[in-house]
Structure formats: structure tokens, C-alpha cells
Amino acid sequence: MDQRIAEYLQKYGLSDLFPDRVREEMYIAHYASGERLFSQDDEAHKMYFLVEGKLKISMLSPEGKRLILAFKSPFDIIGDVEYVRDCHFINTVEAVTDIVVIGVPYSGLRQNMADHAPWLQFLLHTITEKFETKTRAMNFNLLYTVDVRVASYLLSMTPTQQMLESTSLIDMADLIGTSYRHLNRVLQQFEGAGWIVKKRGKITLLDRAALLEQAGQNIYE
């Protein structure tokens, strides 16, 4: 097994969870900022453990709108629900920053961990959290105004930098559940307040403290 995998498992308290035969099937993968790990309805064959960086999870609504469900930071698991349900990927997952994940095939988990009580308890805990997150996300648009959602989105998408590509404001509007016109109006308000600068397809954050105050708390996290 890669020494880096052993170090990550130890870091996140998972050293005793997996037998050696499962560890031997694990591998490390890197994804660049903006790269998609998989799309909604893709076939699911492996589970990912997020150990470095930040992910964005979104879904396509019945109305054809792509909505943000959550942003995830380490430690988190992607593909656990699909593993249990034996179904295609439910959501779309993209890297917000450069990320590192540990991949492990479903086949090895099913062969070696199907009756392993600590693993089943671990899955139960993580999947319960996922459904709580999804419930909060689905109610989100009813609870928060657009300016709060925009502020939170800008903060969540720029965890390590001050600039965000804004070439597709229509996509951004869909993700936070509003119209392009309303989004543009809020961005103009933020720019007028001196919190951001929107220029040449980019949004530069000038006052993160003001945006944090607007968001109240970083609600997408």
C-alpha cells in the first residue's frame, strides 16, 4: 500500500477500519480546480475519500435546474450512498480547489467488508449526514434571500484565492436557484458597496468580512 494512503488513513482515524486486502486496492487520485469527478447518472464503481481540497456537489432538479447541495472539505466520502443502493451517481461532483482523493473499488469493499460491523456503522453515520445535508439544501431557497446565497457562493468558491471566474453567470444563477437578472442585480449591489469588482469575466473579492457578515454564516458549507 502507498505510504501516503497509510498516512491519510491515520490522519482521519481510519487506520483500523480497513483490512489489508482492501487497503491494497486503494489508490490516490488528483483532480485540478474545476475538474469534474463524475456527473449525475454516471455509473458508480468506486468510492472516494476526500483527503485534501474542496468539492462542490450539485444536482439537476426535475425542472432542469442545477442546484448546489453542498461544498465539502476533508474528511468526506463520495459514493457511499450509491454503494449501498447499488445505483448510478445521484449528484454531480466537481473540484473547487485542487483536490486529493483516495479511491477504492466497490468490488473490493463488497467482497471484504459486507459483514464488517464497524464499516457498516461507519456507513450508517455518513449516509445519515448526507440525507440531513440534502434536506437542508432542498429547503435552502425557501429560507435565505438571494443576496445571502450569492455572498455564500462567492465565499465558498474562493477558499484559497480572491478571484472567481464569472464567465457563466447563467450557470451561477441556476446553481443558487435564482434568475440571471436577479443575480446580476445583486452583484451590482455588492460592487457598489465596494465588496467585489466584476470585470472581464472575473469577480474579485475585495471585502470578505463584509460578505461573511452578509451571509450570516457560510450556509453552503
Side-chain angles (χ1 to χ4, degrees), residues 121-190:
Q121 291 172 355
F122 179 73
L123 280 179
L124 178 62
H125 176 74
T126 60
I127 290 173
T128 299
E129 286 188 337
K130 294 285 174 66
F131 282 108
E132 288 177 355
T133 298
K134 186 169 185 178
T135 299
R136 288 195 301 268
M138 297 304 290
N139 292 326
F140 172 66
N141 290 342
L142 300 176
L143 300 176
Y144 294 96
T145 58
V146 173
D147 54 345
V148 172
R149 278 178 268 160
V150 173
S152 183
Y153 179 86
L154 293 174
L155 291 166
S156 294
M157 287 296 292
T158 56
T160 60
Q161 74 277 358
Q162 292 294 103
M163 186 176 293
L164 171 69
E165 297 284 345
S166 64
T167 51
S168 181
L169 292 183
I170 294 176
D171 288 346
M172 180 177 168
D174 283 348
L175 283 167
I176 64 174
T178 190
S179 67
Y180 169 82
R181 181 175 296 179
H182 198 163
L183 170 63
N184 211 34
R185 185 161 57 248
V186 171
L187 291 175
Q188 288 173 357
Q189 292 171 357
F190 286 2

Side-chain angles (χ1 to χ4, degrees), residues 18-148:
F18 301 100
D20 289 342
R21 53 188 176 273
V22 172
R23 293 188 184 201
E24 292 301 325
E25 295 192 42
M26 292 180 175
Y27 63 92
I28 287 181
H30 299 261
Y31 292 87
S33 174
E35 192 172 356
R36 184 171 290 189
L37 280 71
F38 52 81
S39 299
Q40 187 173 336
D41 293 327
D42 284 353
E43 289 189 14
H45 301 293
K46 64 191 74 171
M47 194 176 297
Y48 298 90
F49 302 143
L50 175 64
V51 293
E52 288 188 28
K54 189 172 189 178
L55 292 173
K56 177 176 68 179
I57 301 176
S58 61
M59 67 170 292
L60 197 65
S61 73
E63 296 77 25
K65 299 286 188 179
R66 185 159 298 283
L67 301 172
I68 292 175
L69 293 180
F71 288 86
K72 294 292 185 178
S73 299
F75 173 79
D76 210 275
I77 305 178
I78 308 298
D80 47 353
V81 176
E82 292 82 358
Y83 169 79
V84 171
R85 293 185 58 194
D86 193 19
C87 65
H88 290 196
F89 281 116
I90 299 170
N91 303 312
T92 295
V93 176
E94 301 168 79
V96 174
T97 65
D98 293 347
I99 66 167
V100 180
V101 296
I102 296 174
V104 56
Y106 286 167
S107 56
L109 291 171
R110 290 194 172 106
Q111 183 177 356
N112 299 292
M113 306 283 281
D115 299 319
H116 187 50
W119 167 244
L120 298 178
Q121 291 172 355
F122 179 73
L123 280 179
L124 178 62
H125 176 74
T126 60
I127 290 173
T128 299
E129 286 188 337
K130 294 285 174 66
F131 282 108
E132 288 177 355
T133 298
K134 186 169 185 178
T135 299
R136 288 195 301 268
M138 297 304 290
N139 292 326
F140 172 66
N141 290 342
L142 300 176
L143 300 176
Y144 294 96
T145 58
V146 173
D147 54 345
V148 172

